[in-house]
Amino acid sequence: MVHGTHNAVADDRNKDIKIYINGEYFRREEAKISVFDSGYLVGDGIWEALRLHKGVLVFIDDHLDRLWMSAATVGMKFPFSKIELTRIVWDVLNENNMTDHVHVRIMITRGIKKTPSQDPRLTITGPNIVIIPEYKKASEESKEKGITLFTSTIRRGSPDYLDPRLNCHSKLHEVQALIQAIEAGADEALMLDVNGFVSTCNATNFFIIKNGEVWTSTGQYCMNGITRAKVIEACHLNGITCHQKDFSLFDVYGADEAFVTGTFGGLTPVTKIDGREIGQKSYGDFTRKLSALYHELIEDAVAYGKS
């Protein structure tokens, strides 16, 4: 059985979801994109993921800001505004009669090419937009169990060739890192930056707790996750010391607790790294406290979204 931060409670309703592709809706088995799509050919695309919680798209402004930053970085022009894209997402959710425990994946590629090529000038259509909404509730059993990590030899790259903060379709190096971790018997991969400091995991952001302080990387060599930012915000709001700093595996192996963050799973505890047990229990008290504080921010966002 696959175990990791994306474990979800099985939901049969996902067999009948309608997927949005460029203004049309398709059943799961009928949802297709051209083999000449830029994302398929050369990974030329960007994406974002949202959570629908109690009828509210949580932290949507933060997610859209990041999407627009990604588009600006890769030189992609959108034929719609943030308001228009938000309306499209709501149309998709309404089409599927969805109100809660939904994960929404937005994928935008540069468009269809006339021939296989990297050259964006050979793109003959506007951006392709795909929106996949699924009922996804994180498995509490998986969260209580925690996950194990293995430190990959694949490094998070320097921003002068592919900025790690860019949420793009080109994820092959992260897949390589995850494969190493799986082959080593772990659930997911821990990745170092180009200087050998701890950066992130292959699909989530990484934190440790030492002596009552929360540590995470500088953010220069990792995806600046929205959940990561909200955990940092929760620390500041509640008088908890949180450092964004360089630290090494020396610090990690001696941590009191460790956890990872992501839009879908929220906070997930880490029980073992490179075969070394972390902390005294699978779900540490400090991590559990931070998870509760993060969920308070979600509930505040829900209350604001409904006001």
Side-chain angles (χ1 to χ4, degrees):
M1 176 183 176
V2 174
H3 180 68
T5 54
H6 287 80
N7 275 27
V9 177
D11 197 317
D12 289 340
R13 291 176 295 178
N14 286 324
K15 294 184 297 184
D16 299 316
I17 60 170
K18 297 177 183 177
I19 296 171
Y20 175 98
I21 303 178
N22 295 330
E24 297 184 71
Y25 292 97
F26 300 88
R27 293 176 58 86
R28 179 185 288 270
E29 64 273 14
E30 298 169 345
K32 298 177 176 63
I33 200 80
S34 170
V35 294
F36 288 95
D37 174 71
S38 298
Y40 176 76
L41 288 175
V42 292
D44 187 2
I46 55 179
W47 63 275
E48 197 57 57
L50 304 170
R51 278 184 66 193
L52 179 69
H53 183 67
K54 296 181 179 178
V56 173
L57 287 167
V58 181
F59 311 134
I60 185 171
D61 290 341
D62 300 286
H63 284 283
L64 292 181
D65 285 346
R66 186 170 66 179
L67 183 64
W68 256 253
M69 282 290 295
S70 295
T73 300
V74 301
M76 188 183 297
K77 303 291 186 182
F78 290 159
F80 44 75
S81 66
K82 292 179 182 178
I83 292 175
E84 290 169 331
L85 179 58
T86 301
R87 187 179 68 246
I88 291 172
V89 172
W90 276 115
D91 287 344
V92 174
L93 294 170
N94 292 332
E95 180 72 20
N96 285 279
N97 297 312
M98 291 171 156
T99 58
D100 197 14
H101 295 306
V102 176
H103 183 267
V104 184
R105 179 76 170 243
I106 305 170
M107 293 168 286
I108 305 175
T109 69
R110 200 175 300 274
I112 302 298
K113 291 186 179 298
K114 65 187 298 184
T115 187
S117 170
Q118 295 181 7
D119 196 332
R121 294 170 296 183
L122 294 175
T123 306
I124 57 177
T125 71
N128 284 325
I129 175 170
V130 175
I131 302 176
I132 303 176
E134 290 184 306
Y135 291 101
K136 278 189 177 181
K137 185 177 181 182
S139 169
E140 288 301 321
E141 180 181 350
S142 295
K143 179 165 289 194
E144 291 292 332
K145 178 182 177 182
I147 63 167
T148 61
L149 302 178
F150 171 80
T151 304
S152 172
T153 61
I154 307 295
R155 299 293 181 93
R156 291 294 288 183
S158 172
D160 59 351
Y161 61 90
L162 181 61
D163 197 311
R165 294 172 295 177
L166 178 63
N167 212 11
C168 65
H169 283 201
S170 302
K171 296 290 184 182
L172 187 57
H173 64 302
E174 290 151 317
V175 173
Q176 288 178 288
L178 178 57
I179 289 172
Q180 281 190 335
I182 293 171
E183 291 178 343
D187 298 315
E188 297 188 9
L190 182 63
M191 302 178 73
L192 309 181
D193 66 25
V194 294
N195 300 305
F197 294 113
V198 174
S199 175
T200 187
C201 293
N202 59 280
T204 52
N205 288 125
F206 180 76
F207 289 75
I208 62 173
I209 298 168
K210 290 179 71 75
N211 301 320
E213 297 181 346
V214 179
W215 294 12
T216 191
S217 71
T218 63
Q220 294 303 306
Y221 297 95
C222 71
M223 167 55 59
N224 288 182
I226 306 303
T227 308
R228 173 185 186 270
K230 296 303 176 183
V231 169
I232 294 170
E233 179 183 340
C235 287
H236 292 164
L237 290 173
N238 291 276
I240 299 170
T241 300
C242 182
H243 297 292
Q244 296 180 68
K245 59 185 287 187
D246 287 328
F247 59 93
S248 71
L249 289 173
F250 176 88
D251 303 294
V252 169
Y253 295 150
D256 299 320
E257 297 178 29
F259 63 91
V260 297
T261 62
T263 297
F264 170 65
L267 279 68
T268 303
V270 175
T271 60
K272 190 179 291 186
I273 300 173
D274 299 335
R276 296 163 174 83
E277 291 188 3
I278 305 297
Q280 301 300 312
K281 56 178 73 172
S282 60
Y283 200 151
D285 294 337
F286 207 128
T287 301
R288 199 180 291 273
K289 174 183 177 180
L290 289 172
S291 182
L293 294 174
Y294 166 67
H295 281 284
E296 286 181 10
L297 291 180
I298 290 178
E299 295 304 326
D300 289 344
V302 169
Y304 178 79
K306 290 183 174 179
S307 65

